[in-house]
Each structure stands twice: as C-alpha cells, then as structure tokens.
Amino acid sequence: MNNEQTKHSSWEFFLLRAARAISLTGPQYEKINGRYAQLQTILSASDDPILQDAHIFPQGSMRLKTTINPVSDAPADLGTIDADAIVWLPNSRGVSADTVLETIEKRFQEGSRVHEDIKPLRRGVRVVYADQNPGFHIDVTPARPRSWNDETHGHGMLEVPDRETGWKASSPIPYADWLHDASESQIMLENYVALNKSRAAADSATIAPLPEYEEYQTEDPLRASIKLLKRHRDEWAICTKNERSRPISAVITTLAAHAWLNVAMQSRQRPFTPLEAILEIVRTMPNFIRSNGQEYMVCNPEDSGENFAEKWNRPGEGSAYQRAFYEWHESACEAFSLGLESYSSVESFAKAVNESFGIGRSFVDEVNTSIPANWTMPGRPSGMNRNSVSMGALFGGVAGGDQSQADTKPVGRLG
C-alpha cells in the first residue's frame, strides 16, 4: 500500500474503533434492560382496565442497537443515555389520547421509586435514573394497535397519543425490522489490509496484521455511521446552541439507512472500502429527504403515516429545524473527513476530533499505537508514521518531529 492508502486505512480503523468506544457497554445494556423489567412490573401491578395486558418493549436506539454514551458534561438531556420504550395497550381502543397519557403518568408516579419526578412528554412520560454514572432516562410512549391490526405485543401498525393532535401513526417494530434488513444488505467491500496480505512475506518486518482489525472490518458500517453521526450531532448542537432544534435520531437513522442501501447498489459496479461506504452514507443523506412542495417528509419506510420530519413542517418553528439539519450535515461532512486532512501536529488533529466527536487525545494515541508502524497516522501529512516519528526522535530530524501547535489549521487533504 502507498502512503495515501495507509492513511485511508488508518482513518477507517479510527472511525470504526471510535464507534465502538462511544457505544454502550454490556453492563450498561444489562442495567437498562433491568429497568425495562421494573417498568413492566409496575404496569402489571395496576388494576386499571386500560393497563390490563400491557406489554412494554424497547424501541428507538435500544432496539436498533445504535445507542451511544452521552457527551461529557453535556447540558440537560444530552448528558444522559437516551433509551425509549413502547407500552402496548391492547385495551385502550376507544379511549382518548389524553386519558391514556394521564393513566400512564399516574401509574408511573405511583409505582416508580426514582429520585426525580416523572416528567410528562408530548407523547408519553420520561423516567429518569440519575443514580447511575452516566445517568439514563427511559422515554415511555403508550401505543395501541390500529383498528385493522390484529397482531399482538406491539407488532404491526400502531398509533400513539399526542397531547396536541390526538392519536398519531407509529410502527416501531416494522421500522426496526427494516433497519435490520438494510444493515444486512450485501455490499462489496474492498479491504486494503486483505490485499496487502499477499505481500506479507516481503514486508513482514514493517507490516503486521492489525490487532482486532478483522473484527472491526466486519463491524456493521451502517450502525457505526449512525452512532458517529449521533455523537457529532450532539457535539454540534452544544457548540452551536442548537440543542432544541438539533436533528432527531430517527431522521438521521432513516436517511443513513437509505444512503447505505444506495451504497450497496453502487458496490455491485465497484467495491467500496468501509471508509468509502461511510463517507458516501454521510454525503448523500439529504438526497433521501422528500418534499411535496408543502411538507418535508422523512417517513418510516414501513408506515407512510409516520413522518419523522414532522417538526420541520410546524408553522413558525419548522424553519429552525430545517436550517439546523442542513447546517449540521455540512459540519458532519467535514468531521468525517478529518483524518484525511494533514494537520501539523497530533495536538491539532486531536483537538479537531474532540470538537467533532467528543473523543480525547488518549484515544488518538491509542489508535496511533495500534495501527502498523509504517501506516500514515490519521490526520497527519503523507508518510508521517510511527517509524518516521521514532527516527526523527532518535536523530533529531525534523521530518519525524511533531510540532505542538494545538491551533494549527490543516494544510491540505489527501485524495
């Protein structure tokens, strides 16, 4: 591989490893799942006829396996893990949206033993668990099957109560199944490391199999992209003070999945590296926003009545949501190419990565010591690798030197 290819591969490894680093740990998943069980127990103890046969199940990022840890020292709800749940209520047909919401809120107020009050939301309630570090909250949304839906336990098309508009369409399980199927779509992936193995004998002194690389290479690029997009969204929202109008996860996830399916089709003509797939996902996301001239639409592919971009169409405030998405997307495109830039120092590159993804200098150092010693390090000039840095330190040469200029701007882009 030439220097450009190794830089491509090192940044690819960086992003895939970063997606794993910001993901929930096994113990965190277990803790949150335990809280789901507690919520089910609270519902089962009720004798309210509306709550009879209630069934709670995860939705959103927990079901989609795209939940991330929060940004450090983030304000308000951005500082806690965001989990979601649906309470399927088969006996709520014929009941008003307001009554169902009041019933759910009352039940969790009576049965929960959390330190903070149950917070009413537009379509449900929020249960905050602040005794964990980081803390997390579960947004609980009641739902009922639509009139023609005879499926049980939340399958099929549902409707959820809205405090302002009444019952609204929602199909969380079909949506999760669609995303899973999308992530399973076959894509032809080119792997520079695999191509390099044929020359391993000749280059064995400097090119070694990357530790754990094969595992990261099989990491789902779609979910990795979604996790990193969500983390960048949070950092961007805090930096630009757009917490209220930031793009919601459902919009990001849906557009990224559509873009991934398009990449899968393109890969039949030529293979992609995982990094190329991720960059193409990010770049082409807006192409899948639909408009009929009056409304923006990012719909649930399994339920056209559920428009994840409905806030964009609200009188008065809708333009703020539209503007926030496109400004965020422009920033995301730049962030996902940071490792292909040529920064003058590790410090300046680490600063840019931290501002975009909330990932510190120690992670950058960890990646740089994990990649092969002859690979160009992410975010550095072509040929700047551990070997050259070591030689520069040994002989005092400037070629391998590492200037300490935290505010240095990138001086160009490879490729």
Side-chain angles (χ1 to χ4, degrees):
M1 291 192 293
N2 60 35
N3 288 331
E4 182 177 344
Q5 290 172 327
T6 62
K7 185 172 184 176
H8 180 288
S9 292
S10 65
W11 179 233
E12 176 182 286
F13 176 73
F14 185 105
L15 288 177
L16 293 174
R17 193 159 187 164
R20 182 162 298 186
I22 64 177
S23 301
L24 295 192
T25 64
Q28 285 177 315
Y29 267 109
E30 292 174 9
K31 177 67 71 173
I32 295 174
N33 279 330
R35 294 295 190 261
Y36 280 119
Q38 289 182 3
L39 296 178
Q40 179 67 62
T41 300
I42 292 170
L43 292 169
S44 298
S46 173
D47 58 4
D48 191 306
I50 293 176
L51 302 180
Q52 296 306 298
D53 301 318
H55 171 69
I56 192 167
F57 60 90
Q59 75 143 343
S61 63
M62 286 296 292
R63 191 176 193 94
L64 302 174
K65 301 177 183 178
T66 58
T67 309
I68 59 173
N69 271 299
V71 173
S72 299
D73 302 318
D77 62 318
L78 285 175
T80 59
I81 297 169
D82 180 18
D84 298 286
I86 292 286
V87 177
W88 182 71
L89 301 173
N91 295 310
S92 62
R93 281 176 168 156
V95 182
S96 71
D98 287 340
T99 299
V100 169
L101 289 166
E102 290 169 4
T103 301
I104 285 288
E105 183 177 352
K106 178 183 177 183
R107 181 62 204 131
F108 285 123
Q109 289 281 13
E110 294 173 345
S112 298
R113 290 183 172 83
V114 293
H115 297 299
E116 297 189 26
D117 290 338
I118 303 300
K119 178 182 177 181
L121 302 174
R122 180 163 172 168
R123 295 180 182 175
V125 297
R126 173 168 295 172
V127 185
V128 179
Y129 299 93
D131 57 333
Q132 304 295 314
N133 185 24
F136 65 90
H137 63 262
I138 299 180
D139 290 343
V140 182
T141 302
R144 68 186 185 188
R146 278 186 242 179
S147 59
W148 63 85
N149 180 11
D150 295 327
E151 297 187 65
T152 62
H153 295 86
H155 289 271
M157 291 185 171
L158 311 179
E159 52 188 5
V160 299
D162 186 294
R163 296 182 191 275
E164 296 185 22
T165 61
W167 292 95
K168 299 278 291 184
S170 183
S171 298
I173 292 180
Y175 177 77
D177 292 341
W178 171 79
L179 185 78
H180 175 75
D181 291 344
S183 70
E184 293 287 309
S185 294
Q186 294 297 312
I187 179 171
M188 294 297 295
L189 289 178
E190 176 183 321
N191 183 351
Y192 283 137
V193 174
L195 293 173
N196 191 60
K197 287 179 180 177
S198 62
R199 299 192 298 271
D203 300 326
S204 60
T206 56
I207 301 178
L210 188 62
E212 296 185 279
Y213 191 83
E214 292 303 322
E215 184 178 358
Y216 283 105
Q217 191 72 351
T218 58
E219 176 95 2
D220 174 358
L222 172 57
R223 286 189 174 87
S225 301
I226 291 170
K227 290 176 183 178
L228 291 168
L229 284 164
K230 289 166 61 176
R231 170 56 74 90
H232 175 268
R233 181 267 319 269
D234 291 347
E235 288 286 353
W236 173 85
I238 294 169
C239 179
T240 60
K241 302 187 185 304
N242 273 291
E243 293 97 330
R244 177 178 171 80
S245 57
R246 69 188 188 276
I248 65 171
S249 295
V251 166
I252 293 173
T253 300
T254 304
L255 295 177
H258 280 304
W260 165 256
L261 290 170
N262 190 55
V263 167
M265 291 182 60
Q266 292 182 49
S267 74
R268 297 172 187 171
Q269 304 300 319
R270 72 166 184 90
F272 282 71
T273 66
L275 177 59
E276 288 173 335
I278 289 173
L279 294 179
E280 187 70 1
I281 288 171
V282 177
R283 185 185 70 82
T284 60
M285 286 171 61
N287 295 351
F288 302 95
I289 299 170
R290 299 291 177 254
S291 174
N292 59 11
Q294 297 179 323
E295 292 186 329
Y296 286 94
M297 292 173 288
V298 180
C299 294
N300 180 337
E302 300 297 313
D303 187 348
S304 61
E306 185 173 18
N307 182 11
F308 298 129
E310 62 179 344
K311 291 181 179 179
W312 299 20
N313 304 316
R314 290 176 181 172
E317 62 179 346
S319 59
Y321 290 103
Q322 300 164 24
R323 183 173 60 253
F325 174 84
Y326 286 104
E327 290 178 356
W328 163 76
H329 179 258
E330 181 179 3
S331 177
C333 288
E334 295 175 358
F336 275 75
S337 294
L338 287 176
L340 303 181
E341 304 282 0
S342 295
Y343 288 82
S344 313
S345 69
V346 174
E347 287 82 3
S348 57
F349 171 63
K351 181 175 182 288
V353 167
N354 187 54
E355 290 174 348
S356 292
F357 297 107
I359 295 172
R361 167 64 188 269
S362 61
F363 182 84
V364 176
D365 292 339
E366 178 185 337
V367 168
N368 285 340
T369 57
S370 297
I371 60 177
N374 72 324
W375 280 18
T376 298
M377 294 181 285
R380 305 308 314 281
S382 179
M384 181 68 73
N385 53 47
R386 288 210 318 277
N387 286 339
S388 64
V389 169
S390 297
M391 291 296 289
L394 180 62
F395 295 107
V398 296
D402 209 25
Q403 303 174 31
S404 179
Q405 298 175 338
D407 58 348
T408 302
K409 299 296 183 183
V411 296
R413 175 176 294 177
L414 271 176

